Every structure is written in C-alpha cells, then in structure tokens.
Amino acid sequence: EAIASAVTEKTKLLVIASPANPLGSVTSVDELQRIAQVVLQKDLLVISDETYTRLYYGEGPVAPSILSIKGMEQHSFAVNTFS
C-alpha cells in the first residue's frame, strides 16, 4: 500500500534490497507479490539487489526473489551489489 501510494506518473523504477544488510530483513513472498502487482499495473521496472540471497536461514536454499513471480521476467533484473 505504501509503495502504491508513493508511485507517481514520474516513477519509472523501484529498487529492492532483500535480504537487506545490516539487519538481514527479508521481503516475504506475499509482499513481493503485492509489489509485483503495482509494478505490473504501473508498467514499472525493478532492480533487485540480491547480494545476500544465499545468506538466508528461512525456508528454501535462497531468499525469495521478485524475479520468480509470474509476469516479472520483463520488468525486473537482479544485481549482486548496488551501492
């Protein structure tokens, strides 16, 4: 909801860092799906900084990625550092 309300006609790109450093917070699959809905509705792009994706202690071998959500293949790409 916060992202959707912050998007304007000038918005072209979102940057997601998950897992995030230094706290290690991970964006959940549910949250990524909500973000993807906004991205697809508004025809935005996403840069997903996934540097720490393998340093993940949740379910599965790696942290959830927005690139795994259907429809996001043409709207997102991953980088392994963005600073």
Side-chain angles (χ1 to χ4, degrees):
E1 295 171 8
I3 291 174
S5 64
V7 172
T8 70
E9 61 188 35
K10 293 182 179 183
T11 306
K12 305 294 181 211
L13 176 76
L14 297 177
V15 177
I16 298 172
S18 177
N21 191 23
L23 300 177
S25 62
V26 177
T27 306
S28 70
V29 172
D30 290 339
E31 183 66 20
L32 290 172
Q33 289 173 335
R34 289 192 294 274
I35 293 169
Q37 285 179 329
V38 173
V39 168
L40 295 171
Q41 288 171 353
K42 303 290 186 176
D43 195 28
L44 304 174
L45 296 174
V46 174
I47 295 174
S48 183
D49 184 347
E50 300 183 0
T51 301
Y52 301 105
T53 195
R54 297 194 185 282
L55 296 174
Y56 175 62
Y57 303 101
E59 292 182 28
V62 295
S65 170
I66 197 157
L67 280 82
S68 66
I69 297 173
K70 185 176 179 176
M72 291 302 298
E73 307 86 12
Q74 300 298 316
H75 290 269
S76 54
F77 59 95
V79 295
N80 283 315
T81 58
F82 192 74
S83 57

